[in-house]
C-alpha cells in the first residue's frame, strides 16, 4: 500500500532548514487495510493460476474469492541536510513490519515479514522566495527517487506475497513541488508529487501515484496571542492520493488503485531544553479516510496513525 | 509587562572567543565591531522593515537609549537581510535616533542563533546574551540601566 501525505510536511512542517543544518526525524506509523486477496502463485505457474484480484492461486486454488487484511507498521528515519542555501536533501530509511491475514473458506491464515525497506532520497530546491532571510512565501521544486534496497522476494510458508515484502524491488521516481505562505496567525502549505513506479520483484508493479496535500499550521501562541502556548502547533491537512491499478504479470490487480482523500489533524509540540539554535519536537497525527468509495474494486482503508520525534542540529 | 514576557529565550554565550562582527552601513561601507572592553557593552537590536512589531519597538528602543548617551553602552539597530535602499526608504518615513547598520545575509544574526525577528544581542566582555521577541520601552529602560545607562530606568 502506498501511503498518502507529504513526508516533507511531516518532517519539517512549514519551517525551512538553513544552510549547513541537519535535522533528524523518527516517525512510527501504523495502518490497516482490507482488500480482495492477491494471487500467490510462483512465476512459473500457469497464468490462470495466478490471476490477481480474487482468484486465489497456490494451495488455495480450489477455493472461491477470498479477502486479505493487511496490518503494517513502519518506522521511518528521515535525515535532512541543507548543504547549500535553497537546497535540502532528505534521506529516508524505513523499517517495516507487514502482516497479512488471509480470510478464506478454510479460515484465517496469518503471515508477516519485517526488515529494512527501500531507501529513498528527496531533493527540494527553493526556486522562488519573497526574501532571503525569514521568507514568508516560497516555492519549492522537488525530485524523489527510491532504490530497491529492501528484501523483496522472501518466502513465508512456501509463498512469496508481493504485498508482504518489505521492499518492492523497483526503482521509483517522482517530481513535484510545494508552496508555503505565512500569514500572521498561520502557515499555509500546498504540495503535489507524481510518482512513477517501475516493475518490481515477483513480477509485481505498483501503480503510479499522484499525491497532493493542502495544510494549515497555526502556532497557538501567535494565533491566540498567548506566549504560554507557543510550544503547541496544531495542524490540519487534506491529503489526497490517486493511484493507478497495480499490475502483476501484465494484468491489472482489480482491488488496487483509485482515489482516497484523508483529513489529517496533527499536533506538533516543541520540546524544551535545546538551546543555541537547536530545536526538538514531538509530532503526532492521524490520517482519517474521508471515503473509500473512490477506491477501485474491493478495498477498505482504516485511519493511519503516526507519532514522531525530531531534532534540528 | 506582557511585552516583557515575550522574551522567549535568552542564551548566554561566552564572549571569550568572540570575534569582531562585520556589518555595512547605509552607504555600503564596512563597519566592524570589535569585542567590548571590560566596562563596555554593545546592544545589537536585529530588525527588518517587513517585521510588524519591529517598527514600534525601534521607536521605544530609541527613546530608552537616550539614557545611554555619554555612557559606555552602544546601541545599534541592525537590519537583517534587506537592501540599503529599502531600509533608507523605511527610515525616511520613520526617522530613527539610533545608528543603523545592515547585516545583508543575516550572518551575525544566524551566528547568534537567530530564528526570528526581532532579536537582541547584548555583548559584554563576559558574554553574549541573545533574546527573541519584542520588548516595550519600560523593559528596554530596565535592561539598559542594568548595563550602565545612567538614568535609563527612571526615563530621565
Amino acid at each position: 500500500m502506498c501511503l498518502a501525505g507529504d513526508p516533507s510536511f511531516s518532517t519539517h512542517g512549514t519551517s525551512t532548514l538553513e544552510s549547513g543544518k541537519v535535522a533528524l526525524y523518527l516517525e512510527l506509523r501504523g495502518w490497516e487495510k482490507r482488500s480482495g486477496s492477491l494471487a500467490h502463485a510462483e512465476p512459473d505457474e500457469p497464468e490462470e493460476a495466478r490471476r490477481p484480484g480474487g482468484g486465489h492461486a497456490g494451495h488455495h486454488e480450489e477455493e472461491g474469492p477470498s479477502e486479505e487484511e493487511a496490518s503494517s507498521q513502519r518506522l521511518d528515519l528521515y535525515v535532512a541536510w541543507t548543504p547549500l542555501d535553497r537546497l535540502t536533501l532528505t534521506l529516508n530509511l524505513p523499517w517495516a513490519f507487514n502482516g497479512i491475514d488471509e480470510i478464506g473458506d478454510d479460515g484465517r491464515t496469518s503471515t508477516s515479514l519485517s526488515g529494512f525497506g527501500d531507501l529513498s532520497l528527496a531533493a527540494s530546491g527553493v526556486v522562488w522566495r519573497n526574501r532571503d532571510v525569514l521568507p514568508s512565501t516560497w516555492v519549492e521544486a522537488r525530485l524523489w527517487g527510491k532504490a530497491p534496497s529492501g528484501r523483496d522476494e522472501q518466502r513465508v510458508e512456501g509463498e512469496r506475497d508481493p504485498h508482504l515484502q518489505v521492499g518492492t524491488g523497483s526503482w521509483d521516481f517522482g517530481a513535484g513541488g510545494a508552496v508555503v505562505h505565512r500569514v500572521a496567525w498561520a502557515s499555509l502549505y500546498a504540495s503535489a508529487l507524481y510518482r512513477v513506479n517501475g516493475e518490481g520483484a515477483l513480477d509485481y508493479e505498483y501503480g503510479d501515484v499522484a499525491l497532493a496535500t493542502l495544510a494549515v499550521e497555526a502556532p497557538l501562541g501567535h494565533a491566540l496571542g498567548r506566549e504560554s502556548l507557543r510550544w503547541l502547533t496544531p495542524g490540519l491537512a487534506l491529503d489526497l492520493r490517486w493511484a493507478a491499478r497495480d499490475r502483476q504479470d501484465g494484468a491489472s490487480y482489480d482491488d488496487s488503485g483509485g482515489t482516497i482523500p484523508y483529513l489529517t489533524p496533527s499536533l506538533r509540540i516543541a520540546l524544551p531544553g535545546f538551546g543555541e539554535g537547536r530545536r526538538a519536537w514531538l509530532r503526532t497525527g492521524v490520517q482519517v479516510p474521508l471515503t473509500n468509495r473512490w477506491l477501485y474494486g474491493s478495498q477498505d482503508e482504516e485511519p493511519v496513525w503516526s507519532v514522531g520525534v525530531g531534532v534540528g542540529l | 509587562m506582557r511585552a516583557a514576557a515575550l522574551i522567549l529565550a535568552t542564551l548566554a554565550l561566552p564572549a571569550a572567543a568572540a570575534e569582531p562582527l562585520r556589518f555595512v552601513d547605509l552607504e555600503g561601507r564596512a563597519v566592524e565591531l570589535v569585542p567590548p572592553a571590560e566596562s563596555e557593552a554593545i546592544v545589537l537590536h536585529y530588525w527588518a522593515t517587513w517585521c510588524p512589531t519591529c517598527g514600534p519597538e525601534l521607536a521605544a528602543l530609541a527613546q530608552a537609549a537616550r539614557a545611554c548617551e555619554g555612557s559606555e553602552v552602544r546601541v545599534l539597530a541592525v537590519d537583517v537581510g534587506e537592501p540599503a535602499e529599502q531600509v533608507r526608504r523605511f527610515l525616511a518615513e520613520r526617522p530613527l535616533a539610533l545608528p543603523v547598520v545592515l547585516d545583508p545575509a543575516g550572518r551575525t544574526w544566524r551566528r547568534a542563533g537567530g530564528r526570528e525577528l526581532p532579536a537582541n544581542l547584548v555583548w559584554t566582555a563576559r558574554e553574549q546574551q541573545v533574546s527573541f521577541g519584542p520588548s516595550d520601552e519600560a523593559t528596554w529602560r530596565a535592561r539598559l540601566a542594568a548595563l550602565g545607562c545612567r538614568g535609563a530606568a527612571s526615563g530621565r
Side-chain angles (χ1 to χ4, degrees), chain A:
Chain A
M1 170 184 160
C2 171
L3 292 168
D6 181 340
S8 291
F9 182 69
S10 303
T11 307
H12 310 305
T14 54
S15 62
T16 52
L17 282 179
E18 289 177 11
S19 178
K21 298 276 186 178
V22 172
L24 306 176
Y25 184 64
L26 188 65
E27 182 181 60
L28 180 65
R29 282 181 291 178
W31 65 93
E32 292 184 352
K33 176 185 176 180
R34 279 188 296 280
S35 65
S37 187
L38 181 67
H40 286 173
E42 296 301 310
D44 56 355
E45 287 188 48
E47 178 74 21
E48 60 272 19
R50 50 195 171 99
R51 184 178 63 254
H56 200 118
H59 68 282
H60 293 267
E61 63 186 356
E62 299 302 322
E63 300 161 7
S66 61
E67 194 177 59
E68 70 177 33
E69 284 183 6
S71 172
S72 300
Q73 292 87 47
R74 193 176 145 118
L75 186 65
D76 285 286
L77 174 65
Y78 295 94
V79 181
W81 174 47
T82 303
L84 304 167
D85 186 32
R86 294 175 179 256
L87 175 68
T88 296
L89 304 174
T90 304
L91 182 71
N92 172 218
L93 174 62
W95 187 90
F97 177 89
N98 295 331
I100 292 180
D101 282 6
E102 293 186 356
I103 306 159
D105 294 339
D106 58 348
R108 180 182 285 252
T109 310
S110 297
T111 53
S112 65
L113 277 175
S114 61
F116 285 107
D118 292 337
L119 278 169
S120 65
L121 181 67
S124 177
V126 176
V127 294
W128 179 85
R129 60 190 177 193
N130 64 335
R131 55 180 175 257
D132 289 337
V133 176
L134 294 176
S136 60
T137 307
W138 67 92
V139 179
E140 295 180 13
R142 291 177 174 174
L143 294 172
W144 176 90
K146 183 182 76 63
S149 60
R151 295 184 67 185
D152 52 36
E153 294 192 340
Q154 296 184 84
R155 193 182 296 270
V156 178
E157 296 182 0
E159 292 180 348
R160 294 187 296 185
D161 184 340
H163 287 171
L164 198 57
Q165 306 298 321
V166 294
T168 66
S170 62
W171 286 92
D172 306 333
F173 299 96
V179 179
V180 181
H181 178 62
R182 287 183 174 152
V183 294
W185 57 275
S187 297
L188 311 175
Y189 182 94
S191 73
L193 182 86
Y194 190 85
R195 175 172 158 174
V196 178
N197 295 328
E199 184 171 335
L202 306 173
D203 299 318
Y204 197 84
E205 181 177 333
Y206 285 92
D208 291 352
V209 179
L211 301 168
T213 293
L214 284 172
V216 58
E217 269 196 336
L220 279 189
H222 278 310
L224 302 180
R226 299 184 62 158
E227 287 301 314
S228 58
L229 298 175
R230 193 184 172 85
W231 52 286
L232 289 176
T233 304
L236 187 66
L238 177 65
D239 296 313
L240 191 72
R241 185 186 80 226
W242 169 87
R245 279 195 168 92
D246 300 348
R247 298 181 72 79
Q248 188 176 32
D249 297 318
S252 286
Y253 170 34
D254 290 339
D255 300 328
S256 67
T259 301
I260 183 165
Y262 298 87
L263 195 64
T264 311
S266 65
L267 182 64
R268 189 185 306 272
I269 303 167
L271 300 177
F274 285 80
E276 297 189 22
R278 294 177 182 173
R279 61 197 176 93
W281 68 95
L282 189 73
R283 181 183 185 275
T284 186
V286 59
Q287 281 183 333
V288 182
L290 293 177
T291 177
N292 280 301
R293 288 166 53 196
W294 302 333
L295 292 170
Y296 301 146
S298 170
Q299 297 183 78
D300 185 19
E301 294 194 10
E302 299 293 319
V304 181
W305 57 265
S306 67
V307 60
V309 61
V311 59
L313 303 174

Side-chain angles (χ1 to χ4, degrees), chain B residues 43 59-75 97-98 137-138 140-156:
Chain B
V43 177
L61 173 60
Q63 190 65 25
R66 291 173 62 186
C68 300
E69 290 167 12
S71 76
E72 293 189 281
V73 181
R74 296 170 66 192
V75 181
L98 283 176
E137 188 178 330
W140 271 116
R141 284 186 187 283
R143 194 180 295 166
L144 295 175
L147 291 170
C149 293
R150 290 179 291 275
S154 63
R156 280 178 289 156

Side-chain angles (χ1 to χ4, degrees), chain B residues 10-16 18 36 40-42 121-130 147:
Chain B
T10 299
L11 309 174
L13 312 174
E40 297 174 340
I42 300 173
L121 175 65
V122 177
W123 194 7
T124 66
R126 291 178 299 284
E127 62 182 11
Q128 293 184 0
Q129 226 175 43
V130 185
L147 291 170

